[in-house]
């Protein structure tokens, strides 16, 4: 059984678009598989649970099993995420936030790569509420760098809080109780905490990168993807906590110093003073990015253009189509 996980919090106006993108994947590429849908809601107060139930009333037949995990009180992204992971039936699954979309390409081709790898790093494109996909190539530098960060560099980068692997898919067997317990120590850094712990427990994990959009990230005033949102400020503080957790168990004095440096850099990102915020660029994280950019500049530029130019128009059309489908579903229910 293949599992789709949708996490939601006060996203009644857009979560149906996310669910429509799940339906699109099943109808276009499902190939007769059985599907489980897990939808978690973290105490929404805007009617999100009712919107989700209304959508399922007309589309529940797509799934062999449906789990609705609706909390009465808000507990944070990590609680939502861990609760969903505990309910997954099969070995293969994907997670999408309730304000984002699955891209209009076969996600099952990506998860099939788990036959040869433990973790498949994937790309994403960002879009605004109007469905306009952001074309600026430099926006996706961190995405492309996933193709070049491997081995010890990958483990060190993740431990230093580098935002690689955000949309990666992985084997469910990598989810140990220790991983889930570590995730629950935080509120917003669910994917970073998850991969930090997984790579800490599986140093020999096989990792590959696919340069094709897997998720379409919605940019809004309150999303983590928005660098000025209150949610992002809390997120940066938690990235600092992740660095501190690594520092407390690190034996190497030199790497402890790097972790302390990165921890302070994450706090600089939360400063209201723009000059202090500039200090975030003097960090191990940006040093890794800059070193890789210098070493692989030509290939990075080529891959950035390949990612954006090859998929831009289809993703734009998909965003608008999912919005229209959600509107029709809302009207019919």
């Amino acid at each position: 059984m293949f599992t789709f996980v949708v996490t939601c919090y006060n996203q009644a106006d857009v979560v149906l678009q996310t669910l429509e993108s799940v339906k699109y994947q099943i109808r276009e590429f499902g190939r007769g598989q059985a599907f489980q849908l897990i939808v978690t809601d973290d105490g929404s107060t805007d009617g999100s649970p009712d919107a989700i139930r209304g959508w399922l009333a007309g589309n529940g037949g797509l799934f062999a099993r449906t789990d609705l995990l609706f909390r009465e009180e808000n507990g944070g992204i990590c609680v939502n995420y861990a609760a969903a992971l505990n309910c997954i039936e099969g070995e293969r699954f994907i997670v999408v936030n309730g304000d984002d979309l699955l891209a209009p390409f076969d996600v099952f081709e990506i998860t099939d790569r788990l036959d040869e790898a433990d973790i498949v790093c994937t790309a994403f494109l960002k879009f605004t509420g109007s469905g306009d996909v952001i074309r600026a190539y430099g926006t996706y530098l961190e995405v492309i760098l996933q193709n070049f960060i491997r081995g010890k560099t990958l483990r060190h980068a993740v431990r230093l809080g580098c935002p690689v692997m955000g949309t990666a898919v992985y084997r469910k067997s990598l989810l140990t109780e220790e991983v889930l317990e570590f995730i629950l120590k935080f509120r917003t850094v669910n994917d970073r905490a998850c991969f930090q712990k997984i790579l800490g427990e599986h140093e020999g994990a096989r990792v590959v990168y696919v340069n094709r959009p897997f998720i379409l990230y919605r940019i809004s005033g309150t999303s983590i993807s928005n660098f000025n949102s209150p949610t992002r400020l809390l997120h940066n503080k938690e990235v600092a906590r992740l660095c501190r957790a690594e520092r407390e168990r690190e034996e190497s004095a030199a790497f402890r110093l790097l972790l302390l440096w990165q921890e302070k850099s994450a706090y600089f990102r939360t400063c209201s003073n723009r000059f202090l915020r500039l200090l975030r660029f003097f960090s191990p994280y940006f040093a890794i990015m800059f070193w890789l950019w210098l070493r692989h500049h030509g290939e990075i530029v080529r891959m950035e253009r390949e990612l954006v130019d090859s998929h831009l128009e289809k993703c734009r059309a998909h965003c608008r189509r999912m919005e229209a489908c959600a509107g029709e579903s809302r009207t019919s229910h």
Side-chain angles (χ1 to χ4, degrees):
M1 184 179 293
F2 188 96
T3 302
F4 291 94
V5 176
V6 177
T7 61
C8 178
Y9 176 62
N10 282 345
Q11 292 158 339
D13 56 336
V14 293
V15 69
L16 297 192
Q17 297 178 37
T18 307
L19 292 169
E20 286 292 330
S21 74
V22 170
K23 181 167 72 174
Y24 178 88
Q25 286 293 325
I26 293 173
R27 289 187 169 177
E28 292 292 320
F29 311 112
R31 300 189 292 271
Q33 298 184 67
F35 298 100
Q36 176 189 18
L37 175 68
I38 301 173
V39 186
T40 66
D41 182 84
D42 195 19
S44 290
T45 57
D46 67 343
S48 292
D50 290 337
I52 293 164
R53 290 190 184 97
W55 186 87
L56 282 170
N59 297 283
L62 294 168
F63 308 101
R65 173 175 169 176
T66 301
D67 295 274
L68 301 180
L69 310 178
F70 293 168
R71 295 174 55 85
E72 292 186 5
E73 297 181 359
N74 179 259
I77 296 171
C78 291
V79 170
N80 235 14
Y81 184 70
L85 297 182
N86 269 317
C87 289
I88 293 170
E89 280 285 298
E91 177 68 9
R92 298 187 182 181
F93 65 96
I94 55 179
V95 181
V96 58
N97 294 330
D99 58 346
D100 299 325
L101 302 175
L102 294 173
F105 309 104
D106 189 346
V107 299
F108 306 109
E109 285 185 356
I110 302 297
T111 56
D112 284 347
R113 298 288 296 273
L114 292 173
D115 289 336
E116 62 190 66
D118 300 299
I119 300 172
V120 181
C121 293
T122 61
F124 60 80
L125 293 180
K126 296 182 178 182
F127 73 103
T128 64
S130 62
D132 188 24
V133 176
I134 296 172
R135 184 169 188 169
Y137 299 122
T139 302
Y140 306 108
L141 173 60
E142 291 174 344
V143 179
I144 303 302
L145 287 180
Q146 293 179 108
N147 187 58
F148 304 99
I149 302 178
R150 289 289 178 271
K152 287 185 177 180
T153 303
L154 174 63
R155 292 195 297 278
H156 291 334
V158 170
R159 294 178 66 197
L160 286 167
C162 295
V164 294
M165 295 185 159
T167 62
V169 295
Y170 55 95
R171 301 172 181 272
K172 183 190 172 186
S173 56
L174 296 179
L175 280 175
T176 62
E177 286 298 320
E178 290 75 17
V179 171
L180 294 173
E181 288 174 5
F182 187 68
I183 293 171
L184 289 172
K185 293 180 179 180
F186 305 91
R187 283 187 63 89
T188 69
V189 288
N190 54 312
D191 48 0
R192 295 197 189 204
C194 180
F195 288 113
Q196 182 170 308
K197 193 66 174 177
I198 284 176
L199 288 175
E201 294 185 354
H202 303 276
E203 293 189 0
R206 298 165 297 169
V207 181
V208 298
Y209 170 69
V210 177
N211 195 37
R212 190 183 77 188
F214 183 72
I215 297 286
L216 303 180
Y217 273 143
R218 185 186 303 271
I219 304 300
S220 68
T222 59
S223 67
I224 285 178
S225 299
N226 184 328
F227 285 91
N228 296 313
S229 73
T231 306
R232 184 74 184 195
L233 294 178
L234 173 60
H235 185 75
N236 286 328
K237 290 179 181 179
E238 295 225 299
V239 171
R241 285 184 58 209
L242 278 171
C243 292
R244 191 183 317 132
E246 285 296 314
R247 181 162 55 86
E248 290 172 352
R249 71 181 188 86
E250 175 58 45
E251 296 180 357
S252 165
F255 201 74
R256 281 203 305 272
L257 181 60
L258 288 177
L259 286 164
L260 177 61
W261 185 5
Q262 187 62 49
E263 178 186 339
K264 298 304 180 185
S265 173
Y267 278 120
F268 285 138
R269 289 169 174 259
T270 68
C271 293
S272 57
N273 186 301
R274 64 179 181 177
F275 295 106
L276 286 177
R277 289 179 67 180
L278 287 174
L279 293 175
R280 72 188 188 275
F281 293 109
F282 299 93
S283 69
Y285 157 51
F286 279 103
I288 291 173
M289 287 183 61
F290 185 62
W291 172 68
L292 290 170
W293 183 83
L294 287 175
R295 186 177 181 185
H296 304 283
H297 178 259
E299 192 170 358
I300 287 171
V301 169
R302 178 188 62 79
M303 292 181 69
E304 286 174 341
R305 281 153 178 73
E306 177 187 275
L307 171 63
V308 177
D309 294 345
S310 300
H311 307 105
L312 183 71
E313 292 306 323
K314 189 166 184 177
C315 288
R316 278 178 174 167
H318 186 64
C319 290
R320 290 164 183 152
R321 181 167 56 247
M322 293 303 98
E323 184 177 10
C325 289
E328 292 174 3
S329 177
R330 189 176 289 106
T331 299
S332 62
H333 299 100

